[in-house]
Amino acid sequence: MRDINRTGILIVVIMGTTMAGIDSSIVNISLPVMSKQFNCTLSEIEWVITVYMLSFSVLMPLTNWLKNRIGFFNLYIGAISLFTLGSLMCALSTNLDSLLVARVVQALGGGAMAPTSMAIISYVFPARVRGTVLGWWGLGNLVGPALGPTLGGILTEKFGWPSIFYINLPIGIITVVLAFRYLGVLRKQPKLKLPFDLTGFVALTIFLVCLQYGIARAEVVGITSPEILATLGVSLLAFAFFIWIDKQKKDPIMDLTLFTNYSFVSCILVTISRSAALFGGLFLMPFLLQEQMGFSEGISGLLILPNSVFMAALMPFAGRWSDKHGSREISILGIALLAVSMYLFSILDRGSSISGVITAMVVRGLGMGLLLAPLNAATLSAVRPSEVTMASSISTLMQQVGGAIGIAVLAIITQAAYNKHVLGGMSNMPAHHLALREGFHISLIILLVTLIPAWFLPRRNVVLKDTDAHIDT
């Protein structure tokens, strides 16, 4: 079918994932205002973030089953519509309870967007250009989280916190309209009435919810508290039960046989450890720039800008490189640069110059730009065409879990280091500095260890036959 507008399709999937990406970071800055309006405590208002994170991950494992059942077109339209409806409900919320319900609806739509978008790209674009396309998609996917805090601050200050949700309405409506125009070709995708693995889905949901809840709460009550030990124990039992159930099912909710594919496993290990190090490092960065180095929120935001600029500039280039030369070498270079950036952050203190901060941000941006698109391309190329949706769902889910683990681990480590240094007789400032330094050192170590699975990434991205890999041209 030569009338496919692939540029239009790419624009539509970028718009959806960018909208969801913005909402993943836009809310944080408005929490103090929401807390005052709803007259609730900090621990209560944090559920606005936590419930979104938990609900976001629940729908990801369903993506493959839904794709087979209702097709890419209906799944993507449904995800955008549900996210837009949830945004409207959030904006109209009059108390914390109604806001939390609305966030669940919003997250269920957002959780399907990223894996569905990656799968649509694999279905529509041939493997020989997939890295380049994923580079542009990844750029749009990261612009959202980068713009979120700045946009959220401006909207909240000028128009109130509901505006951060109202802004999704025109974007969502336009995206749906464009989806009907450009994604209609996806309606021709064959649909399969596969049975739904309810038992496996429930077990996997309990595992994911308990794991992420336990990780989030561990920062508050401590990793060894009875509450956390019990929650993580339930998570472990649910995971074991899920594996047992999965082996009994002909059409499981998640195909664990993918983990016998060494190339795919290498990609997933890199995804998990990369997310743990980068999300953890991102968690520490505001404390470094604002509390340790004394910069204001506005200046801190500007100092992060070089990271975004260089990342944006390199992602399309890195995608084209992976199309021609494979993902392994360029991914390894990206991981190495990210490790260097963590070291550069660890040696910053109150006396460091702005040029030192900018240098660290530039190196981080270069590393991110070189790693993300090739890693996504390698993940999709490591599996058969029929496994792409499942693979992208697992990859996105592991990125979410890896990020949550990274934030929690670094929060616990830095707090323990701070307590140790304070008990050692240091003043708060040196103790805080040393604790942050240890946190960045842990991120550095995680990234260096990531070089091991990165070495086993496919040396060349496999070019599948177009008729097997995507829409015929």
Side-chain angles (χ1 to χ4, degrees):
M1 290 176 289
R2 299 183 181 277
D3 58 341
I4 298 174
N5 189 326
R6 288 187 167 85
T7 301
I9 292 173
L10 181 59
I11 290 173
V12 171
V13 297
I14 287 177
M15 286 180 67
T17 51
T18 300
M19 181 173 64
I22 288 176
D23 219 75
S24 69
S25 61
I26 198 173
V27 176
N28 299 58
I29 201 166
S30 302
L31 291 182
V33 180
M34 295 178 186
S35 179
K36 289 180 181 178
Q37 180 170 331
F38 295 148
N39 192 28
C40 56
T41 64
L42 179 62
S43 60
E44 291 172 333
I45 201 65
E46 283 181 351
W47 275 97
V48 175
I49 302 297
T50 303
V51 77
Y52 185 88
M53 176 186 71
L54 296 178
S55 304
F56 190 87
S57 63
V58 166
L59 197 68
M60 288 183 189
L62 280 176
T63 305
N64 188 67
W65 182 83
L66 287 170
K67 179 266 294 184
N68 287 321
R69 190 80 178 191
I70 65 176
F72 279 135
F73 178 81
N74 293 324
L75 177 57
Y76 195 71
I77 291 288
I80 297 171
S81 301
L82 196 60
F83 183 87
T84 306
L85 173 63
S87 299
L88 176 61
M89 293 171 61
C90 287
L92 297 176
S93 297
T94 56
N95 53 54
L96 181 60
D97 291 339
S98 61
L99 179 58
L100 293 180
V101 172
R103 288 286 280 173
V104 170
V105 175
Q106 190 185 40
L108 291 177
M113 283 191 197
T116 305
S117 297
M118 286 180 65
I120 288 174
I121 288 172
S122 177
Y123 183 67
V124 171
F125 292 88
R128 63 179 178 271
V129 298
R130 201 173 291 154
T132 302
V133 175
L134 285 169
W136 288 108
W137 173 80
L139 174 58
N141 200 27
L142 291 171
V143 163
L147 290 178
T150 303
L151 183 61
I154 294 172
L155 289 174
T156 301
E157 181 180 352
K158 299 294 183 182
F159 306 106
W161 68 262
S163 62
I164 67 175
F165 298 111
Y166 277 127
I167 195 174
N168 289 330
L169 302 186
I171 301 175
I173 292 171
I174 291 172
T175 304
V176 169
V177 171
L178 291 178
F180 272 98
R181 179 173 181 178
Y182 293 115
L183 300 188
V185 66
L186 299 180
R187 295 182 188 216
K188 301 180 182 295
Q189 176 198 5
K191 298 178 181 63
L192 304 174
K193 292 187 177 181
L194 299 177
F196 180 59
D197 179 14
L198 178 61
T199 309
F201 175 69
V202 171
L204 182 59
T205 299
I206 293 174
F207 161 66
L208 291 171
V209 170
C210 288
L211 175 65
Q212 293 185 83
Y213 174 81
I215 289 171
R217 285 288 293 167
E219 301 174 37
V220 180
V221 300
I223 191 68
T224 58
S225 70
E227 175 190 351
I228 300 305
L229 293 177
T231 302
L232 295 181
V234 171
S235 176
L236 184 61
L237 289 174
F239 183 61
F241 181 68
F242 165 71
I243 293 176
W244 181 76
I245 285 291
D246 188 275
K247 293 181 178 180
Q248 316 300 316
K249 298 284 186 177
K250 181 181 178 181
D251 297 298
I253 196 71
M254 181 180 289
D255 185 6
L256 295 182
T257 60
L258 282 175
F259 290 93
T260 62
N261 180 333
Y262 294 117
S263 295
F264 177 72
V265 170
S266 298
C267 295
I268 293 300
L269 289 175
V270 173
T271 297
I272 293 173
S273 54
R274 181 263 297 175
S275 298
L278 293 185
F279 280 93
L282 190 62
F283 166 76
L284 296 177
M285 207 170 292
F287 296 97
L288 172 67
L289 295 177
Q290 297 174 34
E291 295 187 9
Q292 177 61 33
M293 303 189 71
F295 294 114
S296 67
E297 291 85 351
I299 296 298
S300 298
L302 290 175
L303 288 173
I304 296 175
L305 187 59
N307 169 78
S308 303
V309 170
F310 279 86
M311 179 178 64
L314 277 185
M315 284 193 70
F317 161 78
R320 288 195 298 271
W321 174 278
S322 69
D323 286 335
K324 294 181 178 180
H325 307 289
S327 298
R328 180 190 299 182
E329 286 76 12
I330 196 168
S331 297
I332 289 175
L333 178 58
I335 293 169
L337 286 172
L338 287 170
V340 171
S341 75
M342 291 302 173
Y343 171 75
L344 293 175
F345 282 121
S346 73
I347 61 176
L348 294 174
D349 56 29
R350 185 170 287 273
S352 299
S353 64
I354 289 182
S355 63
V357 179
I358 293 175
T359 298
M361 291 293 179
V362 168
V363 175
R364 186 178 190 273
L366 292 173
M368 289 279 285
L370 291 176
L371 174 61
L372 297 184
L375 180 57
N376 286 335
T379 302
L380 298 184
S381 296
V383 299
R384 296 192 300 267
S386 60
E387 299 169 332
V388 162
T389 307
M390 179 72 72
S392 59
S393 298
I394 293 174
S395 177
T396 307
L397 182 60
M398 292 301 102
Q399 178 176 320
Q400 172 89 0
V401 172
I405 292 174
I407 291 173
V409 168
L410 289 193
I412 293 169
I413 288 174
T414 51
Q415 185 61 52
Y418 175 77
N419 294 339
K420 179 185 70 175
H421 293 309
V422 168
L423 291 175
M426 294 184 178
S427 64
N428 286 353
M429 187 56 71
H432 192 250
H433 171 64
L434 291 173
L436 285 173
R437 176 174 290 183
E438 289 189 26
F440 281 111
H441 284 164
I442 294 297
S443 295
L444 167 62
I445 292 171
I446 293 173
L447 287 165
L448 291 177
V449 172
T450 306
L451 291 172
I452 298 174
W455 180 254
F456 295 96
L457 291 175
R459 187 175 293 274
R460 292 275 182 178
N461 294 341
V462 178
V463 180
L464 302 171
K465 292 183 179 179
D466 290 348
T467 53
D468 294 332
H470 65 99
I471 296 176
D472 294 340
T473 54

